[in-house]
Amino acid sequence: MKRRTFTFGATAALAVAGCSSSNRFQTYRGPEVTSVVVNKGARSLYLLHHTEILKGYNVRLGFAPEGHKEYEGDGRTPEGTYVINRRNPNSEFHLSLGISYPNREDVARAAALGKKPGGDIFIHGQPLTYRPKGGDWTAGCIAVKNPEIEKIYAMVRDGTPITLRA
């Protein structure tokens, strides 16, 4: 009897684990995402096919979200037009898409202040090691929920322009 109970319990546990597992790497076969727009003031990110909004998401920004990023450690999210230039499937934040910050102007602006411009600005999911308690919390990135970054990661290709607006 104990053996039958153990076998049933083990089978049930495996079945539940199989049902709850999520494939982080989704497939997208819809219209091409031709641009990404982030409206910092509204805390929103839009994936566009030309002028048509394909998807919209609520976002969290750098812990000091007002204004353009000026230097490393200022907690601001950049403003301007960049491109998605890399992807990290092994991110500390579930998945992440890199943004081409800093550009030449960003480097010059930081240098004029005697500072480094910083870098490693991403659209990413939630951290793997801790849970933020709401509000803006990143060091300058754009954060979304994990199921959302899975969709964004599948839809957005490297080279896609991203515009970050105040």
Side-chain angles (χ1 to χ4, degrees):
M1 184 70 145
K2 289 182 182 181
R3 185 177 197 164
R4 183 178 296 154
T5 303
F6 173 77
T7 303
F8 175 75
T11 303
L14 288 173
V16 169
C19 290
S20 65
S21 67
S22 167
N23 182 4
R24 297 184 315 153
F25 303 104
Q26 299 182 13
T27 302
Y28 175 71
R29 292 188 176 89
E32 175 188 10
V33 174
T34 56
S35 65
V36 178
V37 174
V38 175
N39 182 331
K40 290 173 50 176
R43 303 299 189 275
S44 58
L45 178 148
Y46 299 100
L47 305 181
L48 287 87
H49 175 71
H50 302 293
T51 58
E52 176 190 356
I53 296 173
L54 299 173
K55 289 279 190 181
Y57 301 97
N58 294 321
V59 300
R60 299 294 185 203
L61 303 172
F63 61 84
E66 300 299 320
H68 177 60
K69 183 166 196 60
E70 294 184 343
Y71 56 87
E72 184 174 55
D74 67 4
R76 294 181 179 163
T77 301
E79 295 174 1
T81 299
Y82 301 90
V83 295
I84 300 299
N85 65 351
R86 62 199 182 280
R87 53 192 58 238
N88 185 355
N90 300 310
S91 172
E92 293 178 34
F93 299 92
H94 195 60
L95 293 170
S96 60
L97 294 172
I99 297 172
S100 63
Y101 175 89
N103 60 28
R104 288 183 191 146
E105 293 82 18
D106 298 320
V107 172
R109 184 181 301 110
L113 297 169
K115 308 258 185 179
K116 295 179 182 178
D120 286 338
I121 302 296
F122 288 86
I123 302 169
H124 61 65
Q126 300 298 304
L128 302 179
T129 57
Y130 71 95
R131 295 286 173 230
K133 294 189 169 46
D136 293 313
W137 57 268
T138 76
C141 295
I142 299 114
V144 296
K145 295 176 182 172
N146 288 348
E148 296 169 342
I149 191 61
E150 290 172 0
K151 290 177 181 144
I152 295 166
Y153 196 89
M155 293 175 74
V156 176
R157 299 285 126 233
D158 289 358
T160 302
I162 178 169
T163 301
L164 300 104
R165 300 178 180 154

